[in-house]
Amino acid sequence: MASKHYEDVLNYCSDILSGKIISGQYTKLAVMRFQDDLKKSQSPDYPYKLDISKADAVIDFAESLIIPDITPTEENPKRQLRLLPWMKFVYLNLFGWVYKNDAEKRRFNDAYVEVARKNSKTTSLLFGIILWDFLTTNAAESYMVSKSDEQSKKSFKELQNIIKENKELADSLSAGSQAITFQSSRIAFFCDGSVGVDGYKPSLGVIDEYHEYDSDRIVTAFRYGGRARKNRMTIKITSAGLDISKPCYAENL
């Protein structure tokens, strides 16, 4: 029996392609690729399969998080995160696709998500994903990079507040200067250029507002630094930018 999250994603895909949800070219192409991959996965020769349970686990975790600035309602008195279908589509693709010959190895190691401002991309996508990696990966090194020191401190404070609202997390995790730790794992926050990135072995590297970056230095460092990890992931997430000379623009080609 298909999960509720999976049904939401399938309905989202149908609404995108039917035009019920107005979308751009790249969203349509992403949905078409997903549907094409579902068909291909039925072939014994196709190397990947969709493990819905793996994606469900991450989505369920994200939706268990209490978000301090959500207004309580009758439907959501605990102020828990509620993911929209397009967000579940991102989670399902990143965490659901695995290798058939090794179900513990994820298919995707790199992601690019471009979405308009004020659509909860940091709270709904990045914080859920970074906490999941941090808590489920042995000796996780999770990094969230912002363009400015002010934005980096803001992201750190927001995640701290989410942790404080979730008693189990608050009792287990420790927060220091721009870092959160749990056993041998850590989440660190910094701005581009503030520290060197050589020598890191990231399990997850998140680059926020990638359109503001002048080079792909940090992306390259995370991608190659995490090669020793089975499921390292680099996520570039951004709103649209106007400067076509910057590396973010190449993601649209």
Side-chain angles (χ1 to χ4, degrees), residues 33-244:
R33 183 187 68 177
F34 173 72
Q35 291 189 333
D36 189 47
D37 285 345
L38 284 178
K39 294 176 183 176
K40 289 179 179 178
S41 67
Q42 302 304 310
S43 169
D45 297 328
Y46 196 65
Y48 313 112
K49 66 178 180 179
L50 185 65
D51 188 332
I52 298 170
S53 65
K54 290 186 181 299
D56 280 351
V58 190
I59 294 172
D60 286 342
F61 169 77
E63 292 198 325
S64 75
L65 297 175
I66 298 170
I67 309 301
D69 55 359
I70 288 181
T71 302
T73 64
E74 186 177 341
E75 294 78 17
N76 187 13
K78 294 183 179 180
R79 298 170 294 139
Q80 289 175 292
L81 181 64
R82 290 295 177 259
L83 300 178
L84 296 173
W86 74 265
M87 298 169 181
K88 293 183 181 182
F89 178 77
V90 174
Y91 275 88
L92 184 70
N93 274 282
L94 291 183
F95 293 96
W97 285 107
V98 296
Y99 281 77
K100 286 181 177 176
N101 63 358
D102 184 353
E104 298 307 311
K105 183 178 180 181
R106 293 196 296 261
R107 173 186 180 184
F108 294 116
N109 299 116
D110 292 279
Y112 174 79
V113 181
E114 184 177 308
V115 62
R117 296 180 187 276
K118 300 304 177 183
N119 274 283
S120 189
K121 63 181 184 295
T122 301
T123 300
S124 297
L125 291 181
L126 299 188
F127 287 161
I129 290 174
I130 205 167
L131 278 172
W132 177 263
D133 175 77
F134 170 64
L135 293 169
T136 62
T137 302
N138 183 44
E141 292 183 30
S142 306
Y143 299 106
M144 187 166 179
V145 188
S146 303
K147 184 58 181 173
S148 68
D149 187 55
E150 180 182 356
Q151 183 58 45
S152 178
K153 290 178 179 178
K154 180 175 181 291
S155 296
F156 174 60
K157 187 66 175 177
E158 287 176 353
L159 188 57
Q160 267 191 310
N161 290 337
I162 290 174
I163 290 171
K164 288 177 183 177
E165 290 287 336
N166 294 266
K167 187 177 185 305
E168 188 174 352
L169 294 179
D171 290 345
S172 303
L173 310 185
S174 300
S177 176
Q178 293 295 95
I180 296 166
T181 59
F182 171 67
Q183 297 178 354
S184 58
S185 298
R186 68 194 296 261
I187 304 174
F189 296 75
F190 56 87
C191 65
D192 183 39
S194 64
V195 298
V197 293
D198 293 332
Y200 289 179
K201 193 171 71 174
S203 52
L204 175 68
V206 171
I207 298 91
D208 196 19
E209 293 297 359
Y210 189 46
H211 76 274
E212 297 179 347
Y213 291 66
D214 296 319
S215 79
D216 63 355
R217 178 187 69 97
I218 188 72
V219 173
T220 301
F222 281 163
R223 182 176 294 148
Y224 287 100
R227 284 183 297 178
R229 291 184 180 269
K230 188 174 188 175
N231 282 319
R232 69 96 188 157
M233 186 181 292
T234 303
I235 301 176
K236 294 153 283 185
I237 191 162
T238 187
S239 51
L242 300 176
D243 190 342
I244 64 174

